[in-house]
Amino acid sequence: LAKTTQPISMDSYEGQEVNITCSHNNIATNDYITWYQQFPSQGPRFIIQGYKTKVTNEVASLFIPADRKSSTLSLPRVSLSDTAVYYCLPGDSNYQLIWGAGTKLIIKP
Amino acid sequence: DAGVIQSPRHEVTEMGQEVTLRCKPISGHDYLFWYRQTMMRGLELLIYFNNNVPIDDSGMPEDRFSAKMPNASFSTLKIQPSEPRDSAVYFCASSSTSGGVQLTGELFFGEGSRLTVL
């Protein structure tokens, strides 16, 4: 199972683009990279998933380089409501996900 | 759909008492997961079911913990007897890997049950 390293915390300001990078040096060939968001007192919520290159949806983009040893979650024009913990999860199945400490993102006005 | 529904949202009990947490997964989902979240250990998978059958319970801390899924729309996590170190937020999640866009299946979490054992 791929071990991940991501910053424990990050600060940014409203309207800025935020990039959170996660390293997963021993990612397996079959692993996808999934990111979840968790607000206080709520369960985690799926944000985005990708295998390689770039994936974009209505809330975020995910950049994965060719070697797939890292991935970057990009949140465009953040708002206060984006303050949350963000988890990077490599894996090929839901039941093999290892949830690390995540990155606590604090958005300031 | 109302999403994954957990009850109770909060429970305070005394050491030695039995605790039962309940979960109703999203209709049609064939996987159900129980997680525990604490500040010290983060989010840990306790057990998961596929089509109501327990597949992996290696995350269950000890014999005091048990989980059942008598049908596709209901699951319970029981702690007997409870201990202060069981205090945590317990999440239930469900997913479907059939017909979904995401190949690993998106996990849908409930709002959790916050357990405090005194």
Side-chain angles (χ1 to χ4, degrees):
Chain A
L1 297 173
K3 180 180 177 182
T4 61
T5 301
Q6 52 183 123
I8 294 175
S9 64
M10 292 179 66
D11 292 351
S12 189
Y13 291 90
E14 282 191 294
Q16 299 295 306
E17 177 185 82
V18 171
N19 297 310
I20 306 174
T21 297
C22 175
S23 66
H24 26 78
N25 290 322
N26 60 336
I27 190 168
T29 303
N30 294 333
D31 286 351
Y32 281 72
I33 298 141
T34 310
W35 285 77
Y36 280 79
Q37 173 192 55
Q38 185 176 24
F39 297 116
S41 302
Q42 293 187 26
R45 184 178 71 173
F46 173 92
I47 302 175
I48 198 166
Q49 183 183 77
Y51 185 80
K52 61 181 179 180
T53 62
K54 177 182 175 181
V55 179
T56 297
N57 62 22
E58 63 277 7
V59 298
S61 294
L62 180 60
F63 299 91
I64 306 169
D67 66 6
R68 302 195 337 113
K69 293 186 176 182
S70 67
S71 59
T72 298
L73 174 73
S74 181
L75 304 172
R77 297 179 300 280
V78 294
S79 64
L80 296 176
S81 63
D82 291 315
T83 293
V85 178
Y86 292 82
Y87 297 94
C88 160
L89 300 158
D92 65 356
S93 58
N94 277 329
Y95 38 87
Q96 291 185 333
L97 297 179
I98 305 296
W99 296 74
T103 296
K104 185 174 184 179
L105 176 65
I106 298 174
I107 306 301
K108 303 175 181 179
Chain B
D1 200 313
V4 175
I5 299 173
Q6 292 187 245
S7 64
R9 290 295 312 279
H10 303 273
E11 173 121 4
V12 180
T13 190
E14 293 187 345
M15 183 173 63
Q17 297 298 304
E18 177 180 291
V19 174
T20 299
L21 307 178
R22 298 171 178 80
C23 175
K24 176 178 169 55
I26 292 173
S27 176
H29 281 188
D30 53 352
Y31 281 87
L32 184 138
F33 304 80
W34 282 101
Y35 283 88
R36 176 172 70 176
Q37 187 171 38
T38 62
M39 289 293 293
M40 291 296 293
R41 300 176 67 90
L43 203 61
E44 304 172 280
L45 177 62
L46 301 177
I47 184 171
Y48 77 92
F49 296 81
N50 180 217
N51 293 320
N52 312 338
V53 176
I55 303 300
D56 186 350
D57 65 354
S58 60
M60 297 285 261
E62 48 197 274
D63 291 345
R64 299 184 296 105
F65 285 69
S66 63
K68 294 182 179 179
M69 192 165 186
N71 57 62
S73 59
F74 183 66
S75 177
T76 59
L77 178 67
K78 185 175 293 186
I79 308 172
Q80 167 62 20
S82 59
E83 297 182 3
R85 59 187 168 136
D86 301 331
S87 297
V89 180
Y90 291 82
F91 288 104
C92 176
S94 69
S95 74
S96 171
T97 51
S98 60
V101 174
Q102 308 301 336
L103 294 185
T104 64
E106 177 182 344
L107 282 172
F108 293 84
F109 283 81
E111 295 195 333
S113 295
R114 181 176 294 276
L115 173 64
T116 302
V117 183
L118 304 174

